[in-house]
C-alpha cells in the first residue's frame, strides 16, 4: 500500500502551463510582451461597468443569459447555441474531456497553443502532433495524423505562437476530411484581430454541422484577460456537453458585466485591430532589415510576431538583452522553437525600442 494518495499516472506526467513572465531574473518589473495582452488595455466602458455598484454577496447568473444574448446578437447566433466559460480555456478543456479519454488521441499541428497537450494529458488521452508547413498548420498533415483513435482535432486559427492562419477553404477541407464522429474545435482566440475581410468560416461550419465547435475569448482584443471570460458555439448537443462539464457559476458577476460592456464598445475593438496591424507591419519591416544577421519573421495575422534567430545572435541572448532593456518576451524551447521569440505587439514606442535593441544586439553579434 502506498503511504500517500497516488495521483493518476497521466496527471502526474503533466507539465503545468507556463504563463508569460512579467519580471526579470533579478526581480525588475518588465513591460509584458509575453502574454498577448492588449497594449491599449480595455474599453473605458469596462472600467465603468466594473466600478458600478453591484452585490458581491450574490451568486452570478449561472447561465450568463444577458451576455449570451449580447454575443448572439453581435454574431447572429441563437443564444441557446452559446455557452460561456471561465476563459475559453475552460471550454477547450470541456470539449476534450467530453469526447476523449484514456486510449484516445487528440490531434493538432506542431507549434499550436501550448495548452493543447495539457488538455489531452489531463483526460489521459494521447496528444498527436501533425507536422507543420512553414510553421503553419498543414491540412494534409493533420488529416494524415488522424487514426481510428482520434476523437478531437484542435485548430487555433490564427495560431499561437506563430500567428499563421488558414483560410475558409482550408478549414472546410480539414472538416470535410474528418469523419462525422470526430470533433473539430476551431479556436478563434485572435479572430477580432483579423482584417475585416478575413473569415475562416468556423462559425458557419459550427452552425451547420454536429461536429464543429468554435471558441472565442474576451482575453485578447477585448482586453479583459483578468476577468476570465470566453464562449463557445456549436450544435445543441455540443453546447449541452459543455454545460454539463463547466463550473456551475463559472463566469463571475464582474466578468459578465465586463464582457457585456466590452461587447458594447466595438469601436475599441476596431481601434485595437487597426493599431495592432499598423504597429505589427512597422515592426516586421524593421526585423526584415536584419535579415543579413539571420533574423526573420513568420507572417502573422494575430497580435504577436514570431521572430526567428538563425544567425550569430541567439534567441536566448536576444531575450536577455530585451529583459535588460525592460521587456519580457516569450521563448518557447519546449515547443520546438529554441531559435525563436514570440513577441506581443505593444505600443508603437515599445516596438520601436524592441526593434532598436534587436538591431544593436544583432550588429554587435556579427
Ligand atoms: C490566449 C489564447 C486563448 C484564450 O484563453 P482564455 O482562457 O480565454 O484566456 C485560447 N486559445 C489560444 C490559442 C490563445 O492564444
Amino acid at each position: 500500500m502506498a503511504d500517500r494518495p497516488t495521483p493518476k499516472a497521466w496527471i502526474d506526467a503533466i507539465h503545468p502551463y507556463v504563463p508569460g513572465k512579467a519580471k526579470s531574473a533579478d526581480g525588475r518589473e518588465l513591460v509584458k510582451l509575453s502574454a498577448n495582452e492588449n497594449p491599449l488595455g480595455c474599453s473605458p466602458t469596462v472600467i465603468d461597468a466594473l466600478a458600478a455598484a453591484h452585490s458581491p454577496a450574490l451568486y452570478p447568473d449561472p447561465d450568463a443569459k444577458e451576455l449570451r444574448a449580447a454575443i448572439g446578437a453581435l454574431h447572429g447566433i441563437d443564444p441557446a447555441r452559446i455557452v460561456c466559460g471561465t476563459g475559453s480555456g475552460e471550454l477547450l478543456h470541456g470539449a476534450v474531456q467530453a469526447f476523449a479519454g484514456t486510449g484516445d488521441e487528440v490531434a493538432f499541428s506542431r507549434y499550436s497553443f501550448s495548452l493543447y497537450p495539457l488538455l489531452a494529458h489531463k483526460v489521459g488521452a494521447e496528444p498527436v502532433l501533425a507536422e507543420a508547413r512553414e510553421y503553419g498548420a498543414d491540412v494534409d498533415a493533420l488529416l494524415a495524423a488522424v487514426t481510428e483513435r482520434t476523437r478531437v482535432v484542435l485548430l487555433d486559427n490564427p495560431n499561437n505562437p506563430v500567428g499563421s492562419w488558414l483560410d475558409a477553404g482550408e478549414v472546410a477541407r480539414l472538416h470535410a476530411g474528418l469523419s462525422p464522429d470526430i470533433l473539430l474545435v476551431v479556436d478563434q482566440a485572435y479572430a477580432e484581430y483579423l482584417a475585416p475581410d478575413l473569415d475562416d468560416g468556423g462559425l458557419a461550419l459550427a452552425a451547420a454541422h454536429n461536429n464543429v465547435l468554435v471558441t472565442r475569448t474576451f482575453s485578447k482584443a477585448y482586453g479583459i484577460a483578468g476577468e476570465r471570460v470566453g464562449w463557445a458555439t456549436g450544435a445543441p448537443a455540443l453546447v449541452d456537453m459543455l454545460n454539463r462539464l463547466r463550473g456551475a457559476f463559472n463566469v463571475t458577476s464582474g466578468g459578465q458585466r465586463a464582457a457585456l460592456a466590452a461587447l458594447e464598445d466595438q469601436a475599441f475593438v476596431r481601434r485595437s485591430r487597426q493599431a495592432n496591424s499598423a504597429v505589427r507591419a512597422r515592426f516586421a519591416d524593421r526585423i526584415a532589415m536584419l535579415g543579413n544577421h539571420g533574423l526573420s519573421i513568420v507572417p502573422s495575422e494575430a497580435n504577436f510576431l514570431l521572430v526567428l534567430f538563425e544567425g550569430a545572435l541567439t534567441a536566448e541572448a536576444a531575450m536577455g538583452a530585451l529583459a535588460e532593456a525592460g521587456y519580457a518576451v516569450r521563448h518557447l524551447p519546449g515547443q520546438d522553437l529554441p531559435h525563436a521569440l514570440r513577441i506581443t505587439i505593444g505600443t508603437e514606442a515599445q516596438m520601436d525600442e524592441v526593434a532598436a535593441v534587436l538591431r544593436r544586439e544583432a550588429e554587435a553579434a556579427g
Side-chain angles (χ1 to χ4, degrees), residues 20 30 55 61 71 76 81 102 143 165-166 186 210 259 261 270 289 300 329-330 333 359:
L30 302 175
S55 192
D61 173 4
I71 293 166
R81 297 176 67 113
T102 327
L143 290 174
W165 184 75
L166 290 188
V186 185
N210 289 321
R270 209 154 42 239
M289 290 191 292
S300 166
V329 299
R330 197 72 182 262
R359 168 175 214 112

Side-chain angles (χ1 to χ4, degrees), residues 157-176:
N157 201 36
N159 143 291
N160 170 14
V162 178
S164 61
W165 184 75
L166 290 188
D167 66 21
E170 284 296 276
V171 175
R173 195 162 74 81
L174 173 60
H175 174 254

Side-chain angles (χ1 to χ4, degrees), residues 135-352:
Y135 293 95
D138 177 348
V139 169
D140 296 308
L142 272 166
L143 290 174
V146 169
T147 73
E148 72 273 14
R149 296 202 294 157
T150 308
R151 306 291 5 123
V152 182
V153 174
L154 300 168
L155 177 73
D156 45 352
N157 201 36
N159 143 291
N160 170 14
V162 178
S164 61
W165 184 75
L166 290 188
D167 66 21
E170 284 296 276
V171 175
R173 195 162 74 81
L174 173 60
H175 174 254
L178 296 174
S179 67
D181 63 336
I182 297 177
L183 177 68
L184 172 63
V185 179
V186 185
D187 172 353
Q188 297 185 338
Y190 300 96
E192 291 82 7
Y193 278 115
L194 289 171
D197 60 328
L198 296 185
D199 174 1
D200 70 7
L203 289 176
L205 286 175
H209 299 279
N210 289 321
N211 67 333
V212 180
L213 189 78
V214 168
T215 60
R216 291 273 188 120
T217 185
F218 285 92
S219 299
K220 304 287 157 58
Y222 283 106
I224 57 169
E227 295 297 328
R228 312 300 307 120
V229 192
W231 58 276
T233 185
L238 295 179
V239 168
D240 177 47
M241 277 300 125
L242 294 179
N243 273 319
R244 292 170 197 233
L245 289 164
R246 70 176 171 87
F249 297 102
N250 61 342
V251 186
T252 63
S253 308
Q256 293 186 35
R257 298 151 65 86
L260 268 169
L263 279 175
E264 273 166 28
D265 193 354
Q266 289 298 317
F268 173 83
V269 179
R270 209 154 42 239
R271 278 203 302 285
S272 298
R273 181 178 67 236
Q274 286 163 353
N276 180 66
S277 73
V279 177
R280 187 182 62 205
R282 181 179 164 102
F283 182 68
D285 282 348
R286 292 180 182 206
I287 299 303
M289 290 191 292
L290 302 174
N292 54 332
H293 295 286
L295 275 65
S296 61
I297 57 114
V298 186
S300 166
E301 302 291 346
N303 67 335
F304 51 83
L305 274 172
L306 193 71
V307 181
L308 306 179
F309 296 81
E310 293 165 313
L313 177 63
T314 64
E316 240 165 341
M319 184 169 70
L322 287 170
E324 201 56 48
Y327 292 93
V329 299
R330 197 72 182 262
H331 189 214
L332 297 161
Q335 284 179 262
D336 304 323
L337 292 167
H339 57 298
L341 295 177
R342 191 196 68 191
I343 306 182
T344 303
I345 303 302
T347 63
E348 185 172 293
Q350 289 166 353
M351 299 319 285
D352 283 357

Side-chain angles (χ1 to χ4, degrees), residues 10 100-105 120 123-126 149 151:
W10 58 89
T102 327
D104 296 330
E105 293 175 353
V123 300
E126 200 65 49
R149 296 202 294 157
R151 306 291 5 123

Side-chain angles (χ1 to χ4, degrees), residues 41-59:
C42 65
S43 162
T45 63
V46 170
I47 306 291
D48 292 346
L50 285 171
H54 69 292
S55 192
L58 304 180
Y59 279 108

